[in-house]
Amino acid sequence: MLLAIDAGNTNVVFALLDGRTVKGRWRIATDPRRTADEYAVWLVQLLSLEGYERSDVGGVIVSTVVPRATHNLQVLAEKYFKTTALIAGQPPVEYGMAIDVPEPQSLGADRAVNTIAAHALHEGDLIVIDFGTATTVDWVDFRGAYKGGIIAPGINLSLDALVAAAAKLPRIGIEAPADPTVIGRDTVSQMQIGIYWGYIAMIEGLVARMKAEVGRPVTVVATGGLAVLFEKNTPIFDCIEPDLTIQGLAMMWERAQK
């Protein structure tokens, strides 16, 4: 089986796949100082709890936007899974797609892998929204080329900044307000409205502007844990692919084997 690792700015996600079927998924807080041994103690126990052994892993592929974490993940693969980790974007798993922007090397690995997976799963022009540490909104044209996009603060990042900068505002959870009104009657409800409905308004506005610029029919694909939360109150998403990055890594692995 394949161990796909998506190292983001907030969490590192480990997924065990049989083909493209996800058999297990685990996440740990991103810490570039975390050693291969620390990863192994945690991960091997989780594999065992799901009935898997280290020997079940036949390959490892990594997508990372945290360069300092890469080495320890490579050591993890070599020391504990007896295989060389493939790094998305580096031989033999180059992206194999056009990155039609002035500085293609600046495109994050997660966004490139999302582009590959979204184009493989859906036809035509696509807008891919990834709700992570940052919220990214990317245009993938009908040929599968990355054409550009938007980077906005993620909703958790926005909430953290708000609470940190305003001494009297409490920490709140991110959830859809129980009442659909946008006129809050107390501090907590006003914060929930501002964060939740404000974020939906931002996404709807950005997608509308991007669609107008593309000028062709577009399918909107969302990924990231919070996509389901927003789906309840906006028709902007055509589909949600919760494992888009992991699926993209599996596709790149398959291509490398050929």
Side-chain angles (χ1 to χ4, degrees), residues 9-63:
N9 289 300
T10 302
N11 292 310
V12 183
V13 177
F14 294 78
L16 187 67
L17 296 102
D18 186 358
R20 295 188 188 176
T21 302
V22 177
K23 294 295 187 179
R25 186 192 300 101
W26 310 276
R27 63 181 62 231
I28 191 170
T30 300
D31 183 352
R33 299 169 300 174
R34 199 183 310 276
T35 67
D37 301 325
E38 289 174 307
Y39 279 123
V41 169
W42 171 81
L43 181 59
V44 170
Q45 290 187 66
L46 290 172
L47 286 169
S48 178
L49 287 172
E50 297 293 334
Y52 299 106
E53 303 292 337
R54 280 189 287 161
S55 57
D56 293 325
V57 176
V60 176
I61 187 169
V62 178
S63 166

Side-chain angles (χ1 to χ4, degrees), residues 142-164:
F142 61 92
R143 294 164 295 192
Y146 176 83
K147 304 294 286 186
I150 299 164
I151 301 174
I155 190 167
N156 282 296
L157 197 61
S158 298
L159 182 57
D160 288 344
L162 178 63
V163 173

Side-chain angles (χ1 to χ4, degrees), residues 67-117:
R68 288 177 56 204
T70 305
H71 173 70
N72 287 331
L73 292 171
Q74 290 174 308
V75 173
L76 171 70
E78 293 173 2
K79 184 175 180 179
Y80 291 97
F81 297 105
K82 309 305 179 185
T83 187
T84 299
L86 301 185
I87 308 299
Q90 300 179 16
V93 282
E94 296 92 343
Y95 297 133
M97 66 175 188
I99 303 177
D100 187 14
V101 293
E103 298 179 357
Q105 72 280 0
S106 68
L107 179 64
D110 52 348
R111 299 167 78 184
V113 174
N114 283 348
T115 297
I116 292 166

